Amino acid sequence: MRKNMVAGNWKMNTTLPEAQALISEIVHMVQDETTGTPAVEVVVCPPFPFLLPVGKLIPQGGSFHLGAQNCHQKASGAFTGEVSAAMLQSVGCEYVILGHSERRQYFREDDELLSQKLKAALAAGLKPIFCVGETLETREQGDTFKHLEKQLQDGLFHLSNEEFDQVTVAYEPIWAIGTGKTATSEQAQEVHAFIREQIARAYDAKAALATSILYGGSCNAQNARELFSQPDVDGGLIGGAALKSRDFTDIIKSF
Ligand code: 13P
């Protein structure tokens, strides 16, 4: 179901006390400043060890939801150091980010592996936030659409209609992540419209209209309103600015 969404990807940041302080501040600010009901679904994705304690500080049954940053592709077993989708579900996670460019780049996650992770997440009842995005080199070569089409085809569009219903897509141009260099709202809109068109082609027009597509990459309190005002931009996946309660709250209030 398409909805406005702001998701905070905390990446490998915060200690437990910092994580607890951050979520408490965000919850209080949002409650105080939006009469308790922001016009948007808020997803917070802290590091694995903080899911449970952060989840405890999130008001239940409201706009706040818990997400993880990754999961393993197998349900359980001898995979030292890994975390399964069912484990995440059992500590209150509803969402899981998959295919983030940092996972693709630093941990060699390819489309085949991501396909398996998507299946594992869905089997455990998690809703995937599936990331796609191009490098600066790809953009400058004029291959952005070709690249995105391949990531969607090979990584995502193997899902059935029912499975795909559970997916949120995030467009994160790699050149904009953590660089302070945001895509312009026109660039974001152009790509989001393209992604929606690809969904319509792979599934149908109804599925395309029902999918939330988030923008990520140096999204902040100053540029969020302009980005979110684009017809095909349904919200943001926020990195750096999600670690500052004032900024993240302002982004949530940007709809
Ligand atoms: P920044 O907002 O820090 O650019 O990170 C974006 C991101 O990677 C979110 O997943």
Side-chain angles (χ1 to χ4, degrees):
M1 196 56 201
R2 186 163 169 189
K3 52 180 89 106
N4 292 333
M5 186 189 291
V6 171
N9 175 8
W10 295 8
K11 307 192 180 183
M12 196 172 75
N13 292 297
T14 71
T15 60
L16 176 59
E18 286 166 357
Q20 288 169 315
L22 178 58
I23 191 60
S24 300
E25 285 169 22
I26 293 168
V27 167
H28 286 126
M29 280 185 190
V30 170
Q31 285 180 335
D32 287 352
E33 298 171 27
T34 63
T35 57
T37 47
V40 51
E41 186 150 317
V42 180
V43 182
V44 287
C45 306
F48 287 142
F50 310 146
L51 284 166
L52 202 54
V54 166
K56 284 195 176 134
L57 295 169
I58 286 175
Q60 295 307 298
S63 308
F64 281 90
H65 303 266
L66 197 61
Q69 300 171 20
N70 180 31
C71 72
H72 194 261
Q73 65 273 23
K74 291 278 200 279
S76 65
F79 302 101
T80 301
E82 290 296 325
V83 174
S84 74
M87 292 174 188
L88 298 174
Q89 195 275 339
S90 76
V91 294
C93 269
E94 282 175 63
Y95 289 90
V96 61
I97 299 170
L98 291 174
H100 193 282
S101 58
E102 288 150 18
R103 300 291 320 171
R104 292 178 190 259
Q105 188 184 344
Y106 304 137
F107 303 95
R108 306 244 184 284
E109 297 197 359
D110 59 14
D111 295 323
E112 168 57 30
L113 177 67
L114 291 171
S115 301
Q116 294 173 25
K117 289 192 174 203
L118 274 169
K119 288 278 189 190
L122 289 162
L126 297 178
K127 295 181 243 183
I129 299 175
F130 188 78
C131 305
V132 294
E134 80 287 359
T135 60
L136 186 58
E137 195 188 358
T138 301
R139 177 162 280 268
E140 284 174 347
Q141 284 169 350
D143 289 334
T144 298
F145 291 146
K146 203 170 85 188
H147 175 79
L148 294 171
E149 191 179 342
K150 185 166 166 38
Q151 283 188 322
L152 292 166
Q153 280 294 343
D154 297 353
L156 188 58
F157 290 163
H158 56 89
L159 296 179
S160 69
N161 281 68
E162 293 70 35
E163 288 171 330
F164 186 77
D165 271 357
Q166 302 301 311
V167 174
T168 296
V169 177
Y171 168 56
E172 296 208 315
I174 295 168
W175 48 271
I177 295 177
T179 58
K181 202 175 160 203
T182 323
T184 63
S185 52
E186 291 79 16
Q187 284 173 324
Q189 169 56 26
E190 186 187 31
V191 170
H192 282 227
F194 174 80
I195 293 172
R196 212 175 287 288
E197 212 177 278
Q198 297 304 304
I199 298 169
R201 229 177 253 186
Y203 297 93
D204 53 35
K206 200 165 140 248
L209 286 175
T211 305
S212 301
I213 307 177
L214 311 181
Y215 169 79
S218 297
C219 185
N220 58 38
Q222 284 71 48
N223 59 31
R225 193 174 294 274
E226 166 70 15
L227 285 160
F228 298 172
S229 70
Q230 299 301 310
D232 287 297
V233 179
D234 301 308
L237 180 53
I238 319 298
L243 296 169
K244 297 177 197 142
S245 52
R246 179 69 270 157
D247 293 29
F248 192 61
T249 304
D250 285 343
I251 294 170
I252 291 167
K253 288 163 64 189
S254 294
F255 281 98

